[in-house]
Amino acid sequence: MPPAKELTIGDLSARSGVPQSALRFYERQGLIASRRTSGNQRRYDRTALRRIAFIRASQRVGIPLAQVGEVLAFLPEGQPPTREFWVRASECWREALDDRIARLERMRDRFTSCIGCGCLSFDECALVNPNDTLGERGPGAHLLEAR
């Protein structure tokens, strides 16, 4: 028997491994689309599986959903992401990901040296208060007061 052209939200959840609540959220955000039956039930085209895979893979590398949505907006309605689409998207995000990796490596290195020094000084600590920027605000517990 050939696979169904459309999937229920339960089928889509089971096939993608994404909870139904997340699928409804993705739909509200315009990342995936469904049609409604006469009984007001959602039906998803099978191409939604590829879109969800793209969304999840992008999230795993730290791309915010808003940016994922901006890129998915370039796809025509009902068209799944192709290999070429994935390559173009990864090229768009490569610089931002490289910057994030470099920033995390710097933080890791600072954190490692901070643990090793044991200074516990908020005045001098390069991790908590780089270049004593908090001192410029005057006396007080600025980190505790931040909202």
Side-chain angles (χ1 to χ4, degrees):
M1 191 162 112
K5 182 171 171 33
E6 293 184 316
L7 303 169
T8 65
I9 193 167
D11 294 337
L12 188 61
S13 176
R15 291 284 311 275
S16 66
V18 177
Q20 292 181 26
S21 59
L23 295 174
R24 286 189 286 274
F25 177 77
Y26 290 168
E27 189 172 348
R28 284 191 306 273
Q29 299 302 308
L31 302 173
I32 60 175
S34 70
R35 73 168 186 87
R36 297 297 181 124
T37 66
S38 59
N40 203 30
Q41 296 174 333
R42 289 177 168 90
R43 292 294 185 268
Y44 296 90
D45 189 271
R46 296 182 66 76
T47 59
L49 287 167
R50 281 238 178 118
R51 290 177 77 94
I52 293 167
F54 179 80
I55 294 164
R56 299 300 273 197
S58 300
Q59 284 184 298
R60 283 195 181 105
V61 297
I63 304 300
L65 276 180
Q67 289 181 7
V68 173
E70 290 171 3
V71 169
L72 283 173
F74 289 108
L75 281 177
E77 183 71 30
Q79 182 179 338
T82 62
R83 177 169 174 59
E84 294 78 22
F85 181 84
W86 283 58
V87 168
R88 282 192 315 247
S90 69
E91 288 170 355
C92 291
W93 293 331
R94 183 174 195 83
E95 185 178 341
L97 290 172
D98 287 345
D99 289 345
R100 184 176 295 141
I101 289 167
R103 189 171 58 250
L104 286 170
E105 286 175 340
R106 284 191 305 274
M107 288 172 59
R108 178 204 56 213
D109 295 344
R110 286 181 182 163
F111 186 66
T112 301
S113 63
C114 186
I115 289 174
C117 82
C119 72
L120 300 178
S121 168
F122 289 132
D123 291 334
E124 299 173 13
C125 182
L127 185 65
V128 176
N129 186 18
N131 301 320
D132 193 24
T133 55
L134 294 175
E136 296 170 5
R137 295 186 192 175
H142 302 289
L143 292 177
L144 295 176
E145 296 167 358
R147 293 181 201 243

